[in-house]
Amino acid sequence: MEIRWLQDFLAVAETGNFTRAAAMRNTSQAAFSRRIQQLEGWIGVPLIDRSVFPTALTPKGEQFRVTASNILSQMLEMRSELKGFPDAGGAQHFRLAMPYVLATARFPAWWTQWTRQNDFTATLVVGNAHEIAVGLTSGAIDMMIGFSAAQQPFYPERDGVESIEMETDFLRPFISPALLEREGYRFPGEAHRPLPLLMYSSGVYFARLVDLIIENAGGITHRRHVIENDMSDVLRDMAIEGHGIAWLPESTVAAGPRGTLVAIGGAQWSMPMSILAMRERANTNPAVSRLWQLIRRTRQTPPARRRPSPHSPRLDPANETHP
């Protein structure tokens, strides 16, 4: 049996939809269905009731769901023990998950803030949006932090889970100043000057947000896709090198070299996002409770009342649309 079979099973159990679960697991529906069938073959009983819609678990599947969650949780705990992490499982330790983009751009500053008066230790798990959501559902992690846009929630609301908005960010299209000056690109593109786009791979959370942004703005008439990749940092570095336009969180751009990118296109080509901390209400880890209260006390002002930071990436005035 493969661990990804358990992750796949928990994905379809959580979403109730094979297509959505396959997309969140960044695989084709055919490959996803085969792995579920392999898991059922290994277990020896049907886990998914395919005679009803939406997709539901069989009674045996509901029973196995608890086992699958426990297995993933125990494996993570065992990995920490085998690695000999100091204080793992102690009163100051917690297991935290977040996407790579936040782990690199925001986590070090958060850790400095959290540990000023606390001797926390942590196991930091980095993964895509779906992987960390499954980790929370399965009990493999104590808390997750991720981006969430109102039009495409990162994690559907459900009983037993609570969230705090820690900060706000914007997903904007960015371009190198040299490329913009040389080519004069403007949205939605021109026949003789199609926009070179650096895009997220299909199934990635930000890919869905970018699709929504483009759809809401009326579409891009003339475009060409230069590359696709899962990671914002890769697309940021490609944009810095002048290879095209990439939709990036402002925090990711701010974490890179200053002055290397400018936002392009104006407000209609951008989307506000919340940075949410989420946990299971039933979590009894005392370190998580202390961290939760600390985040609640120090969370930033909602976006409507925030003033732009003087260090925020500047907008290109020729392409910005003011309200």
Side-chain angles (χ1 to χ4, degrees), residues 265-268 315-323:
Q268 73 271 33
L315 293 171
D316 172 58
N319 287 278
E320 172 65 338
T321 301
H322 295 284

Side-chain angles (χ1 to χ4, degrees), residues 9-251:
F9 170 71
L10 290 172
V12 75
E14 181 69 21
T15 63
N17 185 290
F18 268 78
T19 302
R20 193 183 316 152
M24 296 175 75
R25 291 286 292 151
N26 198 25
T27 188
S28 68
Q29 185 171 342
F32 184 86
S33 296
R34 282 197 302 272
R35 296 206 296 258
I36 293 295
Q37 291 171 354
Q38 288 173 320
L39 175 62
E40 290 177 313
W42 189 88
I43 296 293
V45 297
L47 302 174
I48 308 295
D49 185 350
R50 295 170 175 83
S51 67
V52 299
F53 184 84
T55 300
L57 302 184
T58 64
K60 294 292 186 181
E62 289 288 358
Q63 181 180 352
F64 182 67
R65 181 179 186 173
V66 176
T67 301
S69 296
N70 290 337
I71 289 172
L72 287 177
S73 178
Q74 291 169 7
M75 288 194 67
L76 184 60
E77 291 176 359
M78 179 58 68
R79 184 174 65 176
S80 294
E81 292 178 11
L82 292 176
K83 286 182 176 179
F85 193 98
D87 300 326
Q92 296 286 349
H93 188 81
F94 55 86
R95 299 162 299 177
L96 177 67
M98 64 183 66
Y100 182 85
V101 61
L102 286 176
T104 56
R106 302 296 295 116
F107 178 69
W110 288 336
W111 189 254
T112 299
Q113 183 182 49
W114 296 342
T115 56
R116 281 174 184 157
Q117 297 180 339
N118 295 278
D119 294 327
F120 289 138
T121 63
T123 299
L124 179 62
V125 179
V126 178
N128 63 38
H130 180 64
E131 288 171 346
I132 64 177
V134 169
L136 184 69
T137 302
S138 68
I141 61 170
D142 295 305
M143 184 188 300
M144 72 177 187
I145 299 176
F147 289 106
S148 185
Q151 295 184 54
Q152 181 71 50
F154 164 70
Y155 189 84
E157 292 185 9
R158 68 179 182 85
D159 294 339
V161 175
E162 59 181 335
S163 65
I164 299 175
E165 183 183 40
M166 297 174 60
E167 302 180 11
T168 58
D169 208 331
F170 280 84
L171 190 64
R172 300 189 188 277
F174 285 90
I175 188 172
S176 75
L179 180 61
L180 179 62
E181 182 177 358
R182 183 175 69 249
E183 299 294 340
Y185 289 121
R186 300 178 68 89
F187 284 97
E190 302 168 281
H192 66 287
R193 193 182 290 113
L195 299 179
L197 303 183
L198 311 173
M199 301 294 280
Y200 293 95
S201 303
S202 176
V204 175
Y205 179 62
F206 279 173
R208 299 197 294 275
L209 297 190
V210 172
D211 287 345
L212 277 173
I213 291 170
I214 294 173
E215 180 182 349
N216 293 341
I220 297 179
T221 309
H222 303 286
R223 60 200 281 183
R224 59 185 181 90
H225 287 199
V226 179
I227 66 162
E228 292 185 353
N229 190 264
D230 291 2
M231 298 176 63
S232 295
D233 288 34
V234 172
L235 299 187
R236 179 195 64 193
D237 292 346
M238 288 290 289
I240 288 173
E241 288 296 319
H243 295 298
I245 299 167
W247 271 265
L248 304 166
E250 285 187 341
S251 57

